[in-house]
Amino acid sequence: DRVKVDRQDSDLAFFSSLLLQGELTTKLIVAILVSSVLDERERHQYRICHGLVRADGIGAWVTGMEEILVGPAAQFVIPEAKDFHNEIAQKVRSGSWQFKAISQLKQVLSDLDIQHNPISNKIALRQWYADFATLRNKTKGHGAKKLSEYSKVAELLEDSINIISNNLKLLSCDCVYLHQNLSGKYNVTTIAGETSSFKDFRKSDPKKRVENGVYIDFGGERRIDLLLSDRELTDFFLPNGSFRPKERENISYISGEILSSETAPYLTPITDLPESESQGLGELDLVGDCFTNVPNYPQQYILRHELELRLIAELNLLDRHPIITLSGPGGIGKTFLALKVVNDLIRKGESRFDFVVWFSARDIDLLAEGPKVVRPHVTKISEFAKEYVSLTEPPEQALQGFDSENYFASKLSSTDGGKHLFIFDNFETVKNPAEIMEWIDTYIRSPNKALITTRKRDFVGDVPIQVNGMDEEESSELIDNYASRFNITSLIDDSYKHEVFQESDGHPYIIKVLLGQLGREKRRRKVERIIASNDKVLLALFERTFNMISEGARRVFLTLCNWKSTVPAIALEAVILRSTNEKFSFQEAVDELLLSSLIEEETSSEDNIVYRVPLSALLFGKQKIETSPWKPKVVADSKLLQLLGGSKNSDERDVAKRIERLFRQVASRFEDEKTRDDDLLGVLEFIARSHPPGWLLLRDIHAETTLQLKDAIRCSMSFLENPAPEFNLQTIWKQHAALCQRNGDALGQVHALVSITKCDDVPTHRISSIANQINSVMNDLLNIDREELLIMLQDIITEFESRSDKNADDLSRLSWLYRHVGERDKAKEAANSGLSLDSGNMYCQRILSGY
């Protein structure tokens, strides 16, 4: 469309647009080709992307294409994409559409007198892109051709580009934009082809979790990382160089707009990465009575007594619990715990296993000086199997048809040759963790066991062991250890130790980083500032986990991160749902965050739950808010939550006070602004459903500020249907009666007054006063349902009759009640009884004078 418009403008504009179309075509095809390369340990896909996001010219994209089609990366292309690659890489003869496109482009080069290689009898389409890079560089890049020359070749160039666009099968593959809704389902927006291959994403399946973006079908969804868009497909962006430390540039060839995106995914060097410090040894050694490749644990390890004892007990259990998981946030000490326990069992001769095999998928070492990227050793079943075969060197491997995966599976199941403990470290880093977990669970049999360390608690085995932060004593020992190591003991006293423990939540890696920073600066700083300044640390600890959670969980997490305070569960849910227009399970999102160790739940009673975010996770979340599409809603929701007032306390009375403060603040806002915000009232009503005293607060808001007495009465009744035990029901019913009176609802007033008499410990004089109030409004009840009124009056009469301490005034009021229900004889008798107590009582005399 842009080319058509510019054709009408001028020949130069027409030719310039064609060059842009050619650039778009080239970059788009390379971006798709890159997505078809498997991201193996050799990191070919990453190496190519690393160069393309930094490329300032189209030539680098052509080089990337060459590496994918005929270079080292070609052997790592997924089989389903091979035919599409061949369409570009294989040589063709005259008569094919590829040959025609190339020959026309070469004619353009000839007409512009640009040097190029002549066309041969057989040629591959990839030559077109090399020639186009030459054309672009010799014209727009470094050329100064005359306008007449551009006019001569423009239509020939357009035809050459369109031949490719119209015929290349790669561009007609099923391609969609996937965007996860808060409900967990995905919006599937078609870009090309059909969407049938992506139909599973329309269902809410927690196992089907991918990052929002453009996906193409190569026998399964493959994300086109370098092509950016949105679910409305309003525009498309591709890398445009200008790579800076924190952001890079993307360009739209359609609109000319520039879009910035983060550079974090492409900052790792492309050179070979070092091995992890916790990678398994390269061979099995006999230690005691056990063959093992388990690495040693670090000398600075701090004992975690309770966790160690529990893990030892589970490892020594026979015939039960074949899969044990150590789960917890990154850097919490899962790997070191496993290493310490397993090494001690082996070296003390207390291990019941004949083989202990360690598999490491770790891709980041969390060192005191900061996180360091390392090369994961094994990340999928085939690699686990090859590693096991390499370590054990079975004679069968020399036989034809030997299958390492089947052999590995057999060793999980049987004890032929000895009992095995298989340890899978950093399980969240493996490819398709849910699938591999299912595979291990299928084959593992007692007395063999599998021990898994993972950041995600949803990969649970038979025994999940949660690893949380250290207690204060353990933290103090760790601080002393590293303070001595960094020669900063003089900077640390007991109060600073306590501050470090409180702010780090006992997180051992955060503590190490804090002390490392102190060691470099040789001066004390506020703990929060040190953590906030360590972007790489926060990314290493939380980025992977954040990318794995659902859109709904991200929404809740970011809202919690925007305010450093505990937040009552009912208030958070009410506020989130207020600004959410789509189907959304708040509890599922919270459960996911708890399982991912991104938030913590505290409770003082069954109905009083608050959520808090550990400081390190909170600071990470604050960074994410800045680039999140949820930012406007997160900020708005946070402002409302802040009306609660801040707190670090989960005590029930504290939560109740904060909820009351929220209601009072809203009431004050309504009173000052003379407005009524139904959305805000909806939030308060949602809270009241779980916190009954809220109904009374909301009742007062309606009665005093919005002047909606019917809503005030409804809220009052909602409380009375499920009253909180600490409230005096006589007082609440009295207030309800007053509301009904203000609203002209005489029947509601009578019902409330009668209800007071049914409460505990109501004195006779109170019942008498209520009877007098009811008698005074009877004239207002002439047109209502008589049967309903009689039932209510009979209730108070029965209660009044049971009282033995009635005086003459009381009996006069009871007499009137009898008259209202039509019991004239009883009315006379009550009046006479009153006169017998006080012969001069004018009320009783007046009643009798009417007979």
Side-chain angles (χ1 to χ4, degrees), residues 593-664:
L593 292 171
L594 292 169
L595 286 171
S596 302
S597 302
L598 286 172
I599 67 170
E600 294 176 357
E601 180 180 279
E602 298 176 358
T603 180
S604 60
S605 70
E606 184 178 352
D607 296 324
N608 180 29
I609 296 172
V610 300
Y611 300 119
R612 64 179 292 273
V613 185
L615 177 63
S616 51
L618 182 139
L619 295 173
F620 167 81
K622 280 185 174 294
Q623 293 180 1
K624 284 294 178 183
I625 289 171
E626 293 307 310
T627 57
S628 171
W630 291 114
K631 182 177 179 179
K633 289 188 176 182
V634 164
V635 172
D637 290 346
S638 298
K639 287 181 179 178
L640 180 53
L641 286 171
Q642 285 162 12
L643 297 178
L644 287 162
S647 175
K648 294 185 178 180
N649 191 352
S650 63
D651 182 74
E652 184 173 5
R653 287 168 298 177
D654 181 69
V655 171
K657 284 181 180 178
R658 295 173 67 197
I659 290 176
E660 180 177 350
R661 184 177 188 277
L662 170 63
F663 280 74
R664 300 294 184 205

Coordinates of all heavy atoms in Angstrom, one line a residue, residues 593-664:
L593 N 1.5 -17.4 41.8 CA 2.6 -16.6 42.4 C 3.2 -17.3 43.6 O 4.4 -17.2 43.8 CB 2.0 -15.2 42.7 CG 1.6 -14.4 41.5 CD1 0.9 -13.1 42.0 CD2 2.9 -14.0 40.7
L594 N 2.3 -17.9 44.4 CA 2.8 -18.6 45.6 C 3.7 -19.8 45.2 O 4.7 -20.0 45.8 CB 1.6 -19.0 46.5 CG 0.8 -17.9 47.2 CD1 -0.5 -18.5 47.8 CD2 1.7 -17.2 48.3
L595 N 3.2 -20.5 44.2 CA 4.0 -21.7 43.7 C 5.3 -21.2 43.1 O 6.3 -22.0 43.2 CB 3.2 -22.4 42.7 CG 2.0 -23.3 43.2 CD1 1.2 -23.8 42.1 CD2 2.6 -24.4 44.1
S596 N 5.4 -20.0 42.6 CA 6.6 -19.5 42.0 C 7.5 -18.8 43.0 O 8.5 -18.3 42.6 CB 6.3 -18.6 40.8 OG 5.5 -19.2 39.8
S597 N 7.0 -18.7 44.2 CA 7.8 -18.0 45.3 C 8.0 -16.6 45.0 O 9.0 -16.0 45.5 CB 9.1 -18.7 45.5 OG 9.0 -20.1 45.8
L598 N 7.1 -15.9 44.2 CA 7.2 -14.5 44.0 C 6.5 -13.7 45.1 O 6.9 -12.5 45.3 CB 6.7 -14.2 42.6 CG 7.5 -14.6 41.4 CD1 6.8 -14.3 40.1 CD2 8.8 -13.8 41.4
I599 N 5.5 -14.3 45.7 CA 4.9 -13.6 46.8 C 4.7 -14.6 48.0 O 5.0 -15.8 47.8 CB 3.5 -13.1 46.5 CG1 2.5 -14.2 46.2 CG2 3.5 -12.1 45.3 CD1 1.0 -13.8 46.0
E600 N 4.4 -14.0 49.2 CA 4.2 -14.9 50.3 C 2.9 -14.6 50.9 O 2.4 -13.4 50.8 CB 5.3 -14.6 51.4 CG 6.7 -15.0 50.9 CD 7.8 -14.7 51.9 OE1 7.5 -14.0 52.9 OE2 9.0 -15.0 51.6
E601 N 2.3 -15.6 51.6 CA 1.0 -15.4 52.2 C 1.1 -15.5 53.7 O 1.8 -16.4 54.2 CB 0.1 -16.6 51.7 CG -1.3 -16.6 52.3 CD -2.2 -17.7 51.7 OE1 -2.7 -17.6 50.6 OE2 -2.3 -18.7 52.4
E602 N 0.5 -14.6 54.4 CA 0.5 -14.6 55.8 C -0.9 -14.6 56.3 O -1.8 -14.0 55.7 CB 1.3 -13.4 56.4 CG 2.7 -13.3 56.0 CD 3.4 -12.1 56.4 OE1 2.7 -11.2 57.0 OE2 4.6 -11.9 56.2
T603 N -1.2 -15.3 57.4 CA -2.5 -15.4 57.9 C -2.5 -15.4 59.4 O -1.7 -16.0 60.1 CB -3.3 -16.6 57.3 OG1 -4.6 -16.6 57.8 CG2 -2.5 -17.9 57.7
S604 N -3.5 -14.8 60.0 CA -3.7 -14.9 61.5 C -5.0 -15.6 61.8 O -5.2 -16.0 63.0 CB -3.7 -13.5 62.1 OG -4.8 -12.7 61.6
S605 N -5.8 -15.8 60.9 CA -7.1 -16.6 61.1 C -7.6 -17.0 59.7 O -7.1 -16.6 58.7 CB -8.1 -15.7 61.8 OG -8.6 -14.7 60.9
E606 N -8.6 -17.8 59.7 CA -9.0 -18.4 58.4 C -9.5 -17.3 57.5 O -9.4 -17.4 56.3 CB -10.2 -19.4 58.7 CG -10.7 -20.1 57.5 CD -11.8 -21.1 57.8 OE1 -12.0 -21.3 59.0 OE2 -12.4 -21.6 56.8
D607 N -10.1 -16.3 58.0 CA -10.7 -15.2 57.2 C -9.8 -14.0 57.0 O -10.2 -13.0 56.5 CB -12.0 -14.8 57.7 CG -13.0 -16.0 57.7 OD1 -13.0 -16.8 56.7 OD2 -13.8 -16.1 58.6
N608 N -8.6 -14.1 57.5 CA -7.7 -12.9 57.4 C -6.4 -13.3 56.8 O -5.4 -13.7 57.5 CB -7.5 -12.4 58.9 CG -6.6 -11.2 58.9 OD1 -6.6 -10.4 57.9 ND2 -5.9 -11.0 60.0
I609 N -6.3 -13.1 55.5 CA -5.1 -13.4 54.7 C -4.5 -12.1 54.1 O -5.3 -11.3 53.6 CB -5.4 -14.4 53.6 CG1 -5.9 -15.8 54.2 CG2 -4.2 -14.7 52.7 CD1 -6.4 -16.8 53.2
V610 N -3.2 -12.0 54.2 CA -2.6 -10.8 53.5 C -1.5 -11.4 52.7 O -0.9 -12.5 52.9 CB -2.0 -9.8 54.6 CG1 -3.1 -9.2 55.4 CG2 -0.9 -10.4 55.4
Y611 N -1.1 -10.6 51.6 CA 0.0 -11.0 50.8 C 1.1 -9.9 50.9 O 0.8 -8.8 51.0 CB -0.5 -11.1 49.3 CG -1.6 -12.1 49.1 CD1 -2.8 -11.7 48.6 CD2 -1.4 -13.4 49.4 CE1 -3.8 -12.6 48.4 CE2 -2.4 -14.3 49.2 CZ -3.6 -13.9 48.7 OH -4.6 -14.8 48.6
R612 N 2.3 -10.4 50.8 CA 3.5 -9.5 50.8 C 4.5 -10.0 49.7 O 4.5 -11.2 49.4 CB 4.2 -9.5 52.1 CG 4.7 -10.8 52.6 CD 5.4 -10.7 54.0 NE 6.6 -9.9 53.9 CZ 7.8 -10.4 53.6 NH1 8.0 -11.6 53.3 NH2 8.8 -9.6 53.6
V613 N 5.3 -9.1 49.2 CA 6.3 -9.4 48.2 C 7.6 -9.2 48.9 O 7.9 -8.1 49.4 CB 6.2 -8.5 47.0 CG1 7.2 -9.0 45.9 CG2 4.8 -8.6 46.4
P614 N 8.5 -10.2 48.9 CA 9.9 -10.0 49.5 C 10.6 -8.8 48.7 O 10.3 -8.6 47.6 CB 10.6 -11.3 49.2 CG 9.5 -12.3 49.1 CD 8.3 -11.6 48.5
L615 N 11.4 -8.1 49.5 CA 12.0 -6.9 48.9 C 12.6 -7.1 47.6 O 12.4 -6.3 46.7 CB 13.0 -6.3 49.9 CG 13.7 -5.0 49.5 CD1 12.7 -3.9 49.3 CD2 14.8 -4.6 50.5
S616 N 13.4 -8.1 47.4 CA 14.2 -8.3 46.2 C 13.2 -8.5 45.0 O 13.4 -7.9 43.9 CB 15.1 -9.5 46.3 OG 14.5 -10.6 46.8
A617 N 12.1 -9.3 45.2 CA 11.2 -9.5 44.2 C 10.4 -8.2 43.9 O 10.0 -7.9 42.8 CB 10.2 -10.7 44.6
L618 N 10.1 -7.5 45.0 CA 9.4 -6.2 44.8 C 10.1 -5.2 44.0 O 9.6 -4.6 43.1 CB 9.1 -5.7 46.2 CG 8.3 -4.3 46.2 CD1 7.3 -4.4 47.4 CD2 9.2 -3.1 46.4
L619 N 11.4 -5.1 44.2 CA 12.3 -4.2 43.4 C 12.4 -4.6 41.9 O 12.4 -3.8 41.0 CB 13.7 -4.1 44.0 CG 13.7 -3.4 45.4 CD1 15.1 -3.5 46.0 CD2 13.2 -2.0 45.4
F620 N 12.4 -5.9 41.7 CA 12.4 -6.5 40.3 C 11.0 -6.1 39.7 O 11.0 -5.6 38.5 CB 12.5 -8.0 40.4 CG 12.2 -8.7 39.1 CD1 13.1 -8.7 38.0 CD2 11.0 -9.2 38.8 CE1 12.9 -9.3 36.8 CE2 10.7 -9.9 37.6 CZ 11.6 -9.9 36.6
G621 N 9.9 -6.3 40.4 CA 8.6 -6.0 39.9 C 8.5 -4.5 39.5 O 7.9 -4.1 38.5
K622 N 9.1 -3.6 40.4 CA 9.0 -2.2 40.1 C 9.6 -1.8 38.7 O 9.2 -1.0 38.0 CB 9.7 -1.4 41.2 CG 8.8 -1.2 42.5 CD 9.5 -0.4 43.5 CE 8.5 -0.1 44.7 NZ 7.4 0.7 44.3
Q623 N 10.7 -2.5 38.4 CA 11.4 -2.3 37.1 C 10.5 -2.8 36.0 O 10.4 -2.1 35.0 CB 12.7 -3.1 37.1 CG 13.8 -2.6 38.0 CD 15.1 -3.4 38.0 OE1 15.2 -4.3 37.2 NE2 16.1 -3.0 38.8
K624 N 9.8 -3.9 36.2 CA 8.9 -4.5 35.2 C 7.7 -3.6 34.9 O 7.2 -3.5 33.8 CB 8.5 -5.9 35.5 CG 9.6 -6.9 35.4 CD 9.9 -7.1 33.9 CE 11.0 -8.0 33.6 NZ 11.4 -8.1 32.2
I625 N 7.3 -2.9 35.9 CA 6.1 -2.0 35.8 C 6.3 -1.0 34.7 O 5.4 -0.7 33.9 CB 5.7 -1.4 37.1 CG1 5.2 -2.4 38.1 CG2 4.7 -0.3 36.9 CD1 5.0 -1.9 39.5
E626 N 7.5 -0.5 34.6 CA 7.8 0.6 33.7 C 7.6 0.3 32.3 O 7.2 1.1 31.5 CB 9.3 1.1 33.9 CG 9.5 1.7 35.3 CD 8.5 2.9 35.6 OE1 8.4 3.7 34.7 OE2 7.9 2.8 36.7
T627 N 7.8 -1.0 31.9 CA 7.6 -1.4 30.5 C 6.4 -2.3 30.3 O 6.2 -2.8 29.2 CB 8.9 -2.1 30.0 OG1 9.1 -3.3 30.9 CG2 10.1 -1.2 30.0
S628 N 5.6 -2.4 31.3 CA 4.5 -3.3 31.2 C 3.2 -2.6 30.6 O 2.9 -1.5 30.9 CB 4.1 -3.9 32.6 OG 2.9 -4.6 32.5
P629 N 2.5 -3.3 29.7 CA 1.2 -2.7 29.2 C 0.2 -2.6 30.3 O -0.8 -1.9 30.2 CB 0.8 -3.8 28.2 CG 1.4 -5.0 28.5 CD 2.8 -4.6 29.2
W630 N 0.4 -3.2 31.5 CA -0.5 -3.1 32.6 C -0.3 -1.9 33.5 O -1.0 -1.6 34.4 CB -0.4 -4.3 33.5 CG -0.9 -5.6 32.9 CD1 -0.1 -6.7 32.6 CD2 -2.2 -5.9 32.6 NE1 -0.9 -7.7 32.1 CE2 -2.2 -7.2 32.0 CE3 -3.4 -5.2 32.6 CZ2 -3.4 -7.9 31.6 CZ3 -4.6 -5.9 32.2 CH2 -4.5 -7.1 31.7
K631 N 0.8 -1.1 33.2 CA 1.2 0.0 34.0 C 0.0 1.0 34.4 O -0.2 1.3 35.6 CB 2.3 0.8 33.4 CG 2.8 1.9 34.3 CD 4.0 2.7 33.7 CE 4.4 3.8 34.6 NZ 5.6 4.5 34.1
P632 N -0.8 1.5 33.4 CA -1.9 2.4 33.8 C -2.8 1.8 34.9 O -3.2 2.5 35.8 CB -2.6 2.7 32.5 CG -1.6 2.4 31.5 CD -0.8 1.3 32.0
K633 N -3.2 0.5 34.7 CA -4.2 -0.1 35.6 C -3.5 -0.4 37.0 O -4.1 -0.2 38.0 CB -4.7 -1.4 35.0 CG -5.7 -1.1 33.9 CD -6.4 -2.3 33.4 CE -7.5 -2.0 32.4 NZ -8.2 -3.2 31.9
V634 N -2.2 -0.8 36.9 CA -1.5 -1.1 38.1 C -1.4 0.2 39.0 O -1.6 0.2 40.2 CB -0.1 -1.6 37.8 CG1 0.8 -1.6 39.0 CG2 -0.2 -3.1 37.3
V635 N -1.1 1.3 38.3 CA -0.9 2.6 39.1 C -2.3 3.0 39.7 O -2.4 3.4 40.9 CB -0.4 3.7 38.2 CG1 -0.5 5.0 38.8 CG2 1.1 3.4 37.7
A636 N -3.3 2.9 38.9 CA -4.7 3.2 39.4 C -5.1 2.4 40.6 O -5.6 2.8 41.6 CB -5.7 3.1 38.3
D637 N -4.9 1.1 40.4 CA -5.2 0.1 41.5 C -4.4 0.4 42.8 O -4.9 0.3 43.9 CB -5.1 -1.3 41.0 CG -6.1 -1.7 40.0 OD1 -7.1 -1.0 39.8 OD2 -5.9 -2.8 39.3
S638 N -3.1 0.7 42.6 CA -2.3 0.9 43.7 C -2.7 2.2 44.5 O -2.7 2.2 45.7 CB -0.8 1.1 43.3 OG -0.3 0.0 42.6
K639 N -3.2 3.2 43.8 CA -3.7 4.4 44.5 C -4.8 4.1 45.4 O -5.0 4.6 46.5 CB -4.0 5.5 43.4 CG -2.8 6.1 42.8 CD -3.2 7.2 41.8 CE -2.0 7.9 41.1 NZ -2.4 8.9 40.1
L640 N -5.7 3.2 44.9 CA -6.9 2.8 45.7 C -6.4 2.0 46.9 O -6.9 2.2 48.0 CB -7.9 2.0 44.8 CG -9.1 1.6 45.5 CD1 -9.9 2.7 46.1 CD2 -10.1 0.9 44.4
L641 N -5.5 1.0 46.6 CA -5.1 0.2 47.7 C -4.4 1.0 48.8 O -4.4 0.7 50.0 CB -4.1 -0.9 47.2 CG -4.8 -2.1 46.5 CD1 -3.7 -2.9 45.8 CD2 -5.7 -2.9 47.4
Q642 N -3.7 2.1 48.4 CA -3.0 2.9 49.3 C -3.9 3.6 50.3 O -3.4 4.1 51.4 CB -2.0 3.9 48.6 CG -0.8 3.2 48.0 CD -0.1 4.0 46.9 OE1 -0.4 5.2 46.8 NE2 0.8 3.4 46.2
L643 N -5.2 3.7 50.0 CA -6.1 4.3 50.9 C -6.3 3.4 52.2 O -6.8 3.8 53.2 CB -7.5 4.4 50.3 CG -7.6 5.4 49.1 CD1 -9.0 5.4 48.5 CD2 -7.2 6.8 49.5
L644 N -5.8 2.1 52.1 CA -5.8 1.2 53.2 C -4.8 1.7 54.3 O -5.0 1.4 55.5 CB -5.4 -0.2 52.8 CG -6.4 -1.0 52.0 CD1 -5.7 -2.2 51.3 CD2 -7.5 -1.6 52.9
G645 N -3.8 2.4 53.9 CA -2.7 2.7 54.8 C -1.7 1.5 54.8 O -2.1 0.4 54.6
G646 N -0.4 1.8 54.9 CA 0.6 0.8 54.8 C 0.7 0.0 56.1 O 0.4 0.5 57.2
S647 N 1.3 -1.2 56.0 CA 1.5 -2.0 57.1 C 2.4 -3.2 56.8 O 2.4 -3.7 55.6 CB 0.2 -2.6 57.7 OG 0.4 -3.5 58.7
K648 N 3.2 -3.6 57.7 CA 3.9 -4.9 57.6 C 3.4 -6.0 58.5 O 4.0 -7.0 58.7 CB 5.4 -4.6 57.9 CG 6.1 -3.7 56.9 CD 7.6 -3.6 57.2 CE 8.3 -2.7 56.2 NZ 9.7 -2.6 56.5
N649 N 2.2 -5.7 59.1 CA 1.7 -6.5 60.1 C 0.5 -7.3 59.5 O -0.4 -6.7 58.9 CB 1.2 -5.7 61.3 CG 0.8 -6.5 62.5 OD1 0.8 -7.7 62.4 ND2 0.6 -5.8 63.6
S650 N 0.4 -8.6 59.8 CA -0.7 -9.4 59.3 C -1.8 -9.6 60.4 O -2.7 -10.4 60.2 CB -0.2 -10.7 58.8 OG 0.3 -11.5 59.8
D651 N -1.6 -8.9 61.6 CA -2.5 -9.2 62.7 C -4.0 -8.8 62.2 O -4.2 -7.9 61.5 CB -2.1 -8.3 63.9 CG -3.0 -8.5 65.1 OD1 -2.9 -9.5 65.7 OD2 -3.9 -7.6 65.3
E652 N -4.9 -9.6 62.7 CA -6.3 -9.5 62.3 C -6.8 -8.1 62.6 O -7.5 -7.5 61.8 CB -7.1 -10.5 63.0 CG -8.6 -10.5 62.5 CD -9.3 -11.7 63.1 OE1 -8.8 -12.5 63.9 OE2 -10.5 -11.9 62.7
R653 N -6.5 -7.5 63.8 CA -7.0 -6.2 64.2 C -6.4 -5.2 63.3 O -7.1 -4.2 62.9 CB -6.7 -5.9 65.6 CG -7.5 -6.7 66.6 CD -7.0 -6.6 68.0 NE -5.6 -7.2 68.1 CZ -4.9 -7.2 69.2 NH1 -5.3 -6.6 70.3 NH2 -3.7 -7.7 69.2
D654 N -5.2 -5.3 62.9 CA -4.5 -4.4 62.0 C -5.2 -4.4 60.6 O -5.5 -3.3 60.1 CB -3.1 -4.8 61.8 CG -2.3 -3.8 60.9 OD1 -2.1 -2.6 61.3 OD2 -2.0 -4.2 59.8
V655 N -5.5 -5.5 60.1 CA -6.2 -5.6 58.8 C -7.6 -5.0 58.9 O -8.0 -4.2 58.0 CB -6.3 -7.1 58.4 CG1 -7.2 -7.2 57.1 CG2 -5.0 -7.7 58.1
A656 N -8.3 -5.2 60.0 CA -9.6 -4.6 60.1 C -9.6 -3.1 60.2 O -10.4 -2.4 59.6 CB -10.3 -5.2 61.4
K657 N -8.5 -2.6 60.9 CA -8.4 -1.1 60.9 C -8.1 -0.6 59.5 O -8.6 0.5 59.2 CB -7.2 -0.8 61.9 CG -7.6 -0.9 63.3 CD -6.4 -0.5 64.2 CE -6.6 -0.6 65.7 NZ -5.5 -0.3 66.5
R658 N -7.3 -1.3 58.8 CA -6.9 -0.8 57.4 C -8.1 -0.8 56.5 O -8.3 0.1 55.7 CB -5.7 -1.6 56.9 CG -4.5 -1.5 57.7 CD -3.4 -2.4 57.2 NE -3.0 -2.1 55.8 CZ -2.3 -3.0 55.0 NH1 -2.0 -4.2 55.5 NH2 -2.0 -2.6 53.8
I659 N -8.9 -1.8 56.6 CA -10.1 -1.9 55.8 C -11.1 -0.8 56.2 O -11.7 -0.1 55.3 CB -10.8 -3.3 55.9 CG1 -9.9 -4.3 55.2 CG2 -12.2 -3.2 55.3 CD1 -10.4 -5.7 55.3
E660 N -11.2 -0.5 57.5 CA -12.0 0.6 57.9 C -11.5 1.9 57.4 O -12.3 2.8 56.9 CB -12.1 0.6 59.4 CG -13.0 1.7 60.0 CD -13.1 1.7 61.5 OE1 -12.7 0.7 62.1 OE2 -13.6 2.7 62.0
R661 N -10.2 2.0 57.4 CA -9.6 3.3 56.9 C -9.9 3.5 55.4 O -10.2 4.6 54.9 CB -8.1 3.2 57.1 CG -7.3 4.5 56.7 CD -5.8 4.4 57.0 NE -5.2 5.7 56.8 CZ -4.7 6.1 55.6 NH1 -4.9 5.4 54.5 NH2 -4.2 7.3 55.5
L662 N -9.9 2.4 54.6 CA -10.2 2.5 53.2 C -11.6 3.0 53.0 O -11.9 3.9 52.2 CB -10.1 1.1 52.6 CG -10.6 0.9 51.1 CD1 -9.8 1.8 50.2 CD2 -10.5 -0.5 50.7
F663 N -12.6 2.4 53.8 CA -14.0 2.9 53.7 C -14.1 4.3 54.1 O -14.8 5.1 53.4 CB -14.9 2.0 54.5 CG -15.2 0.7 53.9 CD1 -14.3 -0.4 53.9 CD2 -16.5 0.4 53.4 CE1 -14.6 -1.6 53.3 CE2 -16.8 -0.8 52.9 CZ -15.9 -1.8 52.8
R664 N -13.4 4.7 55.1 CA -13.5 6.1 55.6 C -12.9 7.1 54.5 O -13.4 8.2 54.3 CB -12.7 6.3 56.9 CG -13.2 5.5 58.0 CD -14.6 5.9 58.5 NE -15.1 5.1 59.6 CZ -16.3 4.9 59.9 NH1 -17.3 5.3 59.2 NH2 -16.6 4.2 61.0

